[in-house]
Structures are given as C-alpha cells and as structure tokens.
Amino acid sequence: MAFHDQNHKNGNLSKKPKLCISPITDAEIQSEFSHHDPNIARLNNGAFGCCPSSVLAAQHELQLKFLRQPDHFYFNYLKKGILHSRTIIKELVNAQHLDEISIVDNASTATTIVLQQASWAFHEGKFNKGDAVVMLHYAYGSVKKAIEAYVTRAGGRVIEVPLAFPVNSEDDIIREFRHALEKAKSEGSNTKVRLAVIDHVTSMPSMVIPVKELVKICREEGVEQVFVDAAHAIGCTPRVDMQEIGADFYASNMHKWFFCPPSVAFIYARKSVNSVDLHHPIVSHQYRNGLAIESSWIGNRDYSSQLVVPAVMEFVNRFEGGIEGIKKRNHDCVVEMGEMLVEAWGTHLGTPHHMSASMVMVGLPPSLRIMNDCDAINLRTHLREFFGVEVPIYFRDGGEVGCVSGYARISYQVYNKVDDYYKFRDAINKLVSDGFTCALLSTSTNGSLLY
Amino acid sequence: MDNHHSQNGAVYSTEQKNHRDAKKPKLTHFISDSELRHEFSHHQTGVARINNGSFGSCPRSVLAAQNSWQLSFLQQPDDFFFNKLRNGILDSRLIIKDLINADDVEDISLVDNATTAAAIVLQQIGRNFASGEFCKNDTVIIFHCAYQAVKKSIEAYVTSVGGSVIEVQLPFPVNSNEEIITEFKKGLERGKVNGGRVRLAIIDHITSMPSVVIPVRELIRVCREEEVDQVFVDGAHAIGSLKVDVKEIGADFYVSNLYKWLFSPPSVAFMYCDKKVENVHHPVVAHEYGKGLAAESAWVGMRDYSPQLVVPTILEFVNRFEGGIDGIMKRNHEMVVKMGIMLKEAWGTNLGSPPEMCASMIMVGLPSKLRVMSDDDALRLRFYLRVYHAIEVPVYYQGLRNGERVPRDKDGFITGYVRISHQVYNTVEDYDRLKTAIIQLLEDGKVCSELPKE
C-alpha cells in the first residue's frame, strides 16, 4: 500500500529545503521533547499528540507579542499570521483554493460545523425528515453525540455501518459500507442519504479506512455530502490529498501527529457548484465572510497555536524526508514493535500492517480477563500508576472465553524508543506471571472513554 | 501605580463588607510599586496603554501559573486529563460562584469569551423559532450599541429563522439612568405590537462603544413586569470593573470575560445560567453532551484549558492589593474619573456620562476642531495616536441625530470621544501624554481626515 515513496505534489511552502546540514540527530530529538515525563513510556501519541520545544518557543514568542501590545498584535499581525498558516496547509493537503481551508480548534469543532449545516438543512426542508446520515460503527464517541444533537434531533435518521474487529482487509469494510448504503436506499421509498461521515483513521479500535474507495461508492450511490473525519490523519496516514480523496469536507487535528501545540485543526470544504454555506457556531464580527474568515476571529482568545504552523514546518523539515519520512519511519517502527509484542505475549495484531499507520492494535493476553469497558479503563490506570506505561486499552465485545478480548493501541512518534515498548512488554508479562486479572482492580472513579 | 494609592506597611483589615470570596491570608504588606511594575513588565514600554477595556491585561504571576499548567499537560497529558483537569476547572468555578454570589456551582460554566456565551443563548432562542414554539411576531430586544458580534449572532440564529429584533437607542451622551429606562420601556412597547412576545432581552451591563454603565437591575425589573421571557446580561466588561451579584441582578443568563478586568490570560469567561433555564448546550458537541452546560463546556474537545485553571492564582494576585478586588475597582474608578475630568477640562469638552454611570472606563469628548465626522476619521485618529505618539486608546464617532441636544464646545458640535481605561498598571503620565497629543494636533491645525490612513 501507500507507504512507498510518493511524488510530493506539494508546493513551495512545504517543500523540504536542500539540507546542507545533516538531519536532526537523536540527541536533538530527545532535547526537543525533554519536557516529556522521563518516567513514562509514552505510547499514546494518538490521544493528545506532542509538541517539540522549538515550536513551543515560537508559540511563547507569539503569546508574549500579544501581551506586550495586544491592539497592535490584533491590527497588524494576527490576520497575516493565520493567512500564512492556511496557505501552508492548503499546499500540504493539495487543496485547490485557499478559501477551502479554515483553521479551527479541533475535529470536534469541525464536526459541529458540518453537522450544524445539516441540521439547518433539515429545519429548512432542504433535507426531509427521515433522510439518512451514515456513519461507521467505530465513529468517535463525540461525533456520535454530535450526530445525535444535530441530526437526530432535527429529524434525520442515522445508519451505522457495522465493522468487524479484528479486521483482515479493506474489502471487508468496502463491502459493509456498500451494503449499508443499499439497505438505506431500499428501506425508505423517498428517503435519501444526505451525508456520510467517514473516519480516515478510526480512534478505537484504530484502523485506516479506505476513504478514497468509500467516497467513490458514495458518489455512485448518490450520497449528497461526504465528510471525512480525519482527526488523526495529517502527519499519520499517507496520502492526505484532497483531490485524491475527493470528499466534500475533510477535517484533521494538527496537534496529534503534526507537532502543533494544543490545539489546532484544519477543515477543508470543497468549492464546487453544490457548495453549501458553512458557518462557525461562534458568530462574531466576520459572520458571512466565509468560514475561513469567520474562524479567524471568534472573539478574543489566544490564537497562537494557529500561528505556529510555519515553525512546525521548519521542525519537520529537519527530518530526513520531511513529514513523509517521519510518517514512513513511524509506521515501520510501530508495526515492528507491534509484532515484537504479539510474539512476546502469544497474541495477534488487530489490523494488518497496511491498515495501520502510526498506531496499531496489539492483542493482550486473555489471562488478564478484560471483560468490559470498565476493566479496560482500570487496566489503563493500573499500567499508568504502577508501571509508568501510558497506553489506551480497548475492550472487544463478543469474543469467546479464553480469546483475546483486549487490545492496546500503541503509537509511535519520533520521540519514542524501543525501551518504551520493552517496558510495556515486561509490565504485561509480569501481570500475567503474577496471575493478575482485571477483576482485582477496583472500579475507577476516573472512568472515561476518552482516547 | 500612582503614589497616593500605595499603602505599604498597612496591616490588612479583616473587615471586608463586600467580599464574598475565600478568606484572605493575613498580609504583612500590600503589593509595592516596584512589584506591581514587575508584574506588568512584559507590557510594551513606552506605550501609554489606556485601552485595557479591549484586550485586558495579565500579570506575570498569573502567566507563570498558566505556564505551569501547560507544562503539566505537556509532560504527561493523559495523567493531566484524567487526574487534574476536571478538579482544576471546578476550583475555578467555585471561586467565581463566590465572587458573583451564585448559589450553586452547577450554574457556572467556563467558556472562551462573551461571544461564545452569546452563541449559546441565541442558539437556544433560534431553536425555539425554528421549531415553531416562538412565532414570527416574537422579538428579541437589544440596545443599538450592542456589541457587533452579538448583533451578528442574532442575525445568524434569530432573524434567519424568522425572529425580529427591536433596537433601543442608547441616549449618548447620557445624563441619568432614567433616560435609559425610558428608552428601554419604549422599546418593549414596540416589541409587543402585533401581539408578539418579547422572548429575550439582551442588556449590556457596561456597553462597549460608547461605554456606559447600564442600570441592569432596574431594566430587568421592567422586563419581568412586562413579561419578557428571558433576560441575558452581556457583562463582558463587568467582573473586576464593578460589583456583580447575580442574585440581585436577577437575569436568566449572565456572562463576563475574566481576561478584561480580572487579570486572566486570554481567554476565559464565566457564564451563569439560572436554574430554570433549559435546552442550552455548548455548540461544540463532545463527550459530555447532555450533561449540562458546565460539564459540556469543561470538555469541548482537545484544547489548551490553562486559562480556565488559573482563577485561584488570580485571587491570590488581587488579594495582594488593599481591599482586594473591591479596592482595585474603587481606585480604578476614582482614577479614571479624575483623568477624564482632567482631559475634558484641558480640551474644553465633556464627559459622555456622569461619573456614577461609569466603572473603570469613561468616554471623554474630543475637541470639535478635530472634526471627527465618521468611523473612518475615528480609526485614523486611533492609528495616528498609536503610531506617532505610542498611545493606545479607542476612538468613537457619535453621529449627529436630529432632535437631540448635542453637546458643543467653543468651536462646534462634539462628535468624537476617546474611551479611556484605568487599570492598576496605569500612571498619570499615560493620560498626560494623550492630553498633550490632542492639544498638539489642535495647535497644528490638523483635522482627522488629513491624518494618514492605516
């Protein structure tokens, strides 16, 4: 699949500069992430991401600039800075028009923007009551809530595409998706599928979805709008290319895998004949000037995380191959570490290599007896508090007794070391050899299905 | 800090009639002049910063606390999220609850800014119009000088679904509360024509431009008498500027930014919702949807929540001043009035409101000879003052309206005003510089339209 070297279609702003100096060294990388807690094996980059000190320093400079003379900053600097960031992103993702790129806080905000528009369409009668919105069974928890808030409440019908896990091939997903769309069309005589919400990389369990193929199916089946929730994608999956993927809306967080500070995301909205009006829910002075301009001023706040994208580009371009090189090495390493763990524990991976990007699902030994979501959360807490390992655990329902019922989602980012994964391997081995089961853990009061 | 405010060596008084916050530690001395200067030493030197009202200010000690929280997140974000964030936000909300005399911390949510709160309130109204629960004749009433972002939000969520808006003219310059109450009552009458109901009144506690303190308690009393459904007080400037007692004020919604006058970093605001309010949710839907606005606002997806976490440190900061936040407010008010009077006497002009109708900001008339004849002129003057005199102050153009008594100076009608602010870091020199710059312009015979454009 797509981890081979690809032609870099991106333009000047993200082109890797000719390196007359050698690429960033190991020691420099460790220094860039020296603020990370050294006692923790940090295997959960997928949840909260990371930000190198050089980017944090750039952000700090901007914050200070604002504090020093805020009026001057607002009038003379802010707008330019956001425009610069948007221009870089446009080239990174191969959008055609700058207007198509807006910067928002996070994928949750982007989801609200797309779904709010759908909600209006229901209210205005553009969509009929009973028209459907399709989403994947493994759509992110808060996206499901947003669909409830903005679609179900407005009279829309929600269709979930069932997905199997462990998954063996993309064909399984493609088949289920096509089947769900056909079923939707046959169920209601006049109902249409107005919107499909498709993850590029699901969160839990994590797998890379063949979005390009699914978008094609949507077009064939007459789905009106396609929104790709790509929260993890940029800096993680290959081929984040708006022309290739072909969706109407695409949103990705930049603080997960693209080294931005919390928090910043971009939302892409294709300019076409059928373009709909998107609006930021926080309405301010720039209302009706287009989503990108609206999003650039949603009241007074700290916009510094949106302004450091140039500094982030400088950082990634210190690596051999730039962001593409980083993605490839992350993938190779996470797969290697995943295989090392499954061999040590006698389990299996939840997804094939080509359906993992910088994260992979690793089966945990059945003897741990992870029986429900609560066990998964408690085990995660136990690993953090007693072993200094940070890794999210997924409970897979429906397995037989004695089978793998829990998976760890391990991430690999540039700051990770092999020792991090050995630490995890050894922690689980110890638990197993001690006869530990999740039943021994008390109910966590910090229960949350946040990944 | 001005000399006659420093009270070094005074023993801290335990009698604090208006303080409702946590008991203060016994201090042996109040913040000194040099400590205060250090706290704001990151402000651009050489600038007369008399626009605290727009972007606020944040002292070093609060910034340091914010950095600490940010570092805690960066070091181990999962641990931060699971073990620190929620309690941190709760601590901040508890302090706010005491500050504003609310009964229940569940009624207090933290959001980014007043603009966000406006979206929350107006989305709720919009849903009721869209569902048909409100009818086309129903209205929302606002002041004509309501903040532009709020007006846009009304356009997005109310007029777009068939609701109407009544704008009440704010008399300006204003002489008394009665003038405002009279206009407001007339507005309510207009709202009830055609049998419609007034579904929401949006009342500024302190208007932005022109800036005046509005008699909110009285206006809300009138609203209740006239059966207005809900009242939303946009107190963007209020907290840290004047006393905010939500029980006394009696609004359904009250929002105030903490970063303007209460020393928080950008940006955070509190939003108070009365218990009887239903059907509000944060527009950014995430995991906590349906659990109440406070819980929803505490997690709107991944972002930097550090501004919401520093309220305890802010309290420590303000308690280093004599009288705490009450003392700060009192002195800011006295100084801004004093400086306003100094300027108007030097220029031969007027104040936009009597002293009792302003808090930490006041509108001072500009000499008519400058000929501020449009918004563009006002912007040119602001730009000129920033670039050529390193003075930061917003300028307001008040168009002439037929039938109103417009104040005059010796040369003509006064149509331009500056909005001066006073915060703890200001000095008399800041205002002297403004006085001189304007006088210089007059002596040079310049008018606004001749000034360079940005």
Side-chain angles (χ1 to χ4, degrees), chain A residues 44 71 116 150 281 301 380, chain B residues 51 78 123 157 283 303 382:
Chain A
N44 190 18
D71 293 74
Q116 209 173 243
Y150 286 115
R301 56 205 305 261
R380 176 180 183 176
Chain B
N51 188 21
D78 298 72
Q123 280 199 343
Y157 293 121
R303 53 204 306 258
R382 180 176 185 174

Side-chain angles (χ1 to χ4, degrees), chain A residues 233-354:
Chain A
I234 192 158
C236 178
T237 53
R239 317 204 74 84
V240 176
D241 182 320
M242 299 300 103
Q243 305 316 312
E244 208 180 281
I245 292 170
D248 299 288
F249 312 113
Y250 187 103
S252 187
N253 288 321
M254 299 186 67
H255 52 261
K256 277 190 192 290
W257 294 96
F258 211 76
F259 305 107
C260 287
S263 66
V264 55
F266 74 86
I267 173 173
Y268 161 85
R270 176 179 298 271
K271 222 173 171 153
S272 75
V273 178
N274 304 319
S275 281
V276 290
D277 257 354
L278 291 184
H279 293 285
H280 199 291
I282 311 302
V283 176
S284 190
H285 299 75
Q286 299 293 354
Y287 179 61
R288 286 207 206 276
N289 285 335
L291 180 64
I293 303 299
E294 286 182 9
S295 307
S296 70
W297 184 257
I298 50 171
N300 193 27
R301 56 205 305 261
D302 180 357
Y303 291 91
S304 62
S305 55
Q306 302 188 4
L307 301 170
V308 294
V309 177
V312 171
M313 289 314 302
E314 273 176 40
F315 174 75
V316 304
N317 286 337
R318 287 165 66 192
F319 289 76
E320 191 170 348
I323 190 63
E324 297 303 322
I326 291 172
K327 286 195 282 197
K328 180 174 191 311
R329 285 185 297 274
N330 280 349
H331 169 73
D332 291 345
C333 288
V334 85
V335 159
E336 190 185 331
M337 293 298 103
E339 292 290 1
M340 181 274 287
L341 291 169
V342 300
E343 194 174 322
W345 298 335
T347 57
H348 57 261
L349 294 181
T351 48
H353 294 186
H354 70 279

Side-chain angles (χ1 to χ4, degrees), chain A residues 102-121 146 150 195 225 227 249 251 265-269 276-282 290-292 294-296 298, chain B residues 123 157 283-285:
Chain A
S102 309
I103 299 183
V104 296
D105 275 346
N106 45 41
S108 301
T109 308
T111 303
T112 289
I113 289 171
V114 174
L115 291 176
Q116 209 173 243
Q117 164 264 151
S119 194
W120 278 130
Y150 286 115
L195 172 68
Q225 298 175 353
F227 168 39
F249 312 113
F266 74 86
I267 173 173
Y268 161 85
V276 290
D277 257 354
L278 291 184
H279 293 285
H280 199 291
I282 311 302
L291 180 64
E294 286 182 9
S295 307
S296 70
I298 50 171
Chain B
Q123 280 199 343
Y157 293 121
V284 179
V285 174

Side-chain angles (χ1 to χ4, degrees), chain A residues 35-37 40 42 44 47-51 56 59-60 63-64 66-72 74-76 105-106 108-109 112 116 120 123-124 140-143 145-150 153 253 255 262-264 280-288 297-303 377 380 384-385 390 446-451, chain B residues 42-45 47 49 51 54-58 63 66-67 70-71 73-79 81-83 86 112-113 115-116 119 123 126-127 130-131 147-150 152-157 160-161 259 265-268 279 281-289 291 299-305 379 382 386 392 454:
Chain A
H35 47 276
H36 287 190
D37 187 335
I40 298 285
R42 190 165 162 143
N44 190 18
F48 299 103
C50 63
C51 186
L56 291 171
Q59 186 191 21
H60 201 67
Q63 289 167 332
L64 202 57
F66 171 84
L67 294 165
R68 222 183 278 135
Q69 225 293 50
D71 293 74
H72 170 67
Y74 171 76
F75 283 107
N76 300 321
D105 275 346
N106 45 41
S108 301
T109 308
T112 289
Q116 209 173 243
W120 278 130
H123 282 305
E124 287 167 0
Y140 194 56
S142 64
V143 172
K145 296 241 179 198
I147 290 177
E148 181 194 324
Y150 286 115
R153 277 178 75 168
N253 288 321
H255 52 261
S263 66
V264 55
H280 199 291
I282 311 302
V283 176
S284 190
H285 299 75
Q286 299 293 354
Y287 179 61
R288 286 207 206 276
W297 184 257
I298 50 171
N300 193 27
R301 56 205 305 261
D302 180 357
Y303 291 91
I377 292 168
R380 176 180 183 176
R384 177 188 308 124
E385 288 176 3
E390 189 60 60
N446 279 332
S448 166
L449 288 171
L450 192 103
Y451 302 109
Chain B
H42 51 285
H43 285 191
Q44 182 75 53
T45 48
V47 173
R49 188 168 164 143
N51 188 21
S54 281
F55 297 102
S57 53
C58 185
L63 291 171
Q66 186 192 18
N67 274 337
Q70 287 167 333
L71 193 60
F73 169 84
L74 293 164
Q75 275 168 343
Q76 222 295 47
D78 298 72
D79 177 61
F81 169 76
F82 284 109
N83 300 321
R86 220 164 270 191
D112 276 350
N113 44 40
T115 303
T116 305
Q123 280 199 343
R127 281 193 286 276
S131 69
Y147 196 55
Q148 179 69 347
V150 175
K152 294 274 183 183
S153 206
I154 291 173
E155 190 189 322
Y157 293 121
S160 61
V161 283
Y259 63 84
S267 69
V268 53
N279 195 24
H281 71 84
H282 198 292
V284 179
V285 174
H287 294 78
E288 304 295 311
Y289 174 65
K291 295 188 186 165
W299 186 258
V300 289
M302 159 70 168
R303 53 204 306 258
D304 180 358
Y305 289 89
L379 276 174
R382 180 176 185 174
R386 176 186 305 127
E392 194 57 61
E454 199 151 9

